[in-house]
């Protein structure tokens, strides 16, 4: 569904134009209704079509609330989840807390990840991408499924 990398500028009000290649897909999939939340492992945002997020939220809510790790995930992911709509100009408005968490400024990277999009600060993405590329040469950290994948 979502794949590829797009450089997108964030304006001073926190608005971001969704790339044309995703706009019609988002209208068809979810009438432009999205949910953005934080990634608990990286300083980026996760952006889901509403119906995809609802499946994830139900699974998160089903986790045992007396388990400290599960409770942490519930608080972080659901607590930061924000409904956003694609406007008539194909833009979304990101809240200040989400922008601050992901350290988003003008230059951002929108990264397709199948059923969701990730939104990164350009500088953070470039640094993390370089880290990922450096890790490729360490096969002991790759899951067995990747070691057997032929490209």
């Amino acid at each position: 569904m979502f794949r590829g990398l797009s450089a997108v500028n964030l304006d001073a009000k926190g608005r971001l134009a969704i790339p044309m290649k995703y706009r019609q897909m988002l209208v068809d999939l979810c009438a432009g209704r999205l949910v953005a939340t934080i990634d608990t492992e990286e300083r980026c945002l996760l952006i889901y079509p509403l119906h995809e997020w609802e499946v994830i939220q139900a699974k998160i809510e089903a986790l045992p609330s007396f388990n400290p790790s599960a409770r942490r995930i519930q608080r972080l992911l659901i607590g930061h989840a924000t409904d956003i709509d694609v406007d008539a100009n194909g833009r979304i408005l990101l809240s200040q807390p989400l922008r601050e968490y992901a350290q988003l400024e003008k230059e951002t990277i929108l990264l397709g990840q199948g059923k969701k999009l990730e939104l990164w600060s350009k500088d953070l993405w470039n640094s993390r991408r370089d880290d990922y590329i450096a890790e490729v040469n360490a096969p002991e950290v790759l899951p067995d499924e990747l070691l057997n994948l032929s490209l």
Side-chain angles (χ1 to χ4, degrees), residues 33 35 48-59 61:
R33 297 174 62 208
V35 174
Y48 293 90
L50 178 61
H51 68 280
E52 293 290 347
W53 171 252
E54 288 172 338
V55 171
I56 292 165
Q57 182 170 330
K59 290 177 182 179
E61 289 173 346

Side-chain angles (χ1 to χ4, degrees), residues 26-43:
L26 289 172
V27 169
D28 294 344
L29 282 174
C30 60
R33 297 174 62 208
L34 307 170
V35 174
T37 192
I38 65 172
D39 184 322
T40 60
E41 304 301 318
E42 301 281 358
R43 286 288 179 157

Side-chain angles (χ1 to χ4, degrees), residues 39-115:
D39 184 322
T40 60
E41 304 301 318
E42 301 281 358
R43 286 288 179 157
C44 70
L45 301 181
L46 307 174
I47 302 174
Y48 293 90
L50 178 61
H51 68 280
E52 293 290 347
W53 171 252
E54 288 172 338
V55 171
I56 292 165
Q57 182 170 330
K59 290 177 182 179
I60 294 168
E61 289 173 346
L63 294 172
S65 62
F66 287 112
N67 178 302
S69 294
R71 192 70 185 130
R72 178 182 70 85
I73 294 296
Q74 289 168 331
R75 286 181 174 138
L76 290 173
L77 291 178
I78 297 172
H80 285 89
T82 304
D83 293 303
I84 53 178
D85 294 314
V86 179
D87 70 14
N89 295 315
R91 299 174 304 188
I92 58 173
L93 176 63
L94 298 168
S95 69
Q96 185 66 30
L98 291 177
R99 294 193 319 264
E100 286 174 2
Y101 175 82
Q103 301 172 18
L104 298 176
E105 294 180 7
K106 183 175 181 174
E107 294 183 308
T108 68
I109 298 295
L110 194 62
L111 194 65
Q113 292 293 287
K115 294 182 179 183

Side-chain angles (χ1 to χ4, degrees), residues 1-2 6-9 15-34 49 85-92 110 117:
M1 176 183 334
F2 302 112
S6 301
V8 185
N9 286 331
R15 293 178 300 201
L16 178 93
I18 297 294
M20 291 299 289
K21 66 182 178 180
Y22 298 136
R23 286 185 194 178
Q24 190 59 49
M25 185 185 324
L26 289 172
V27 169
D28 294 344
L29 282 174
C30 60
R33 297 174 62 208
L34 307 170
D85 294 314
V86 179
D87 70 14
N89 295 315
R91 299 174 304 188
I92 58 173
L110 194 62
L117 295 160

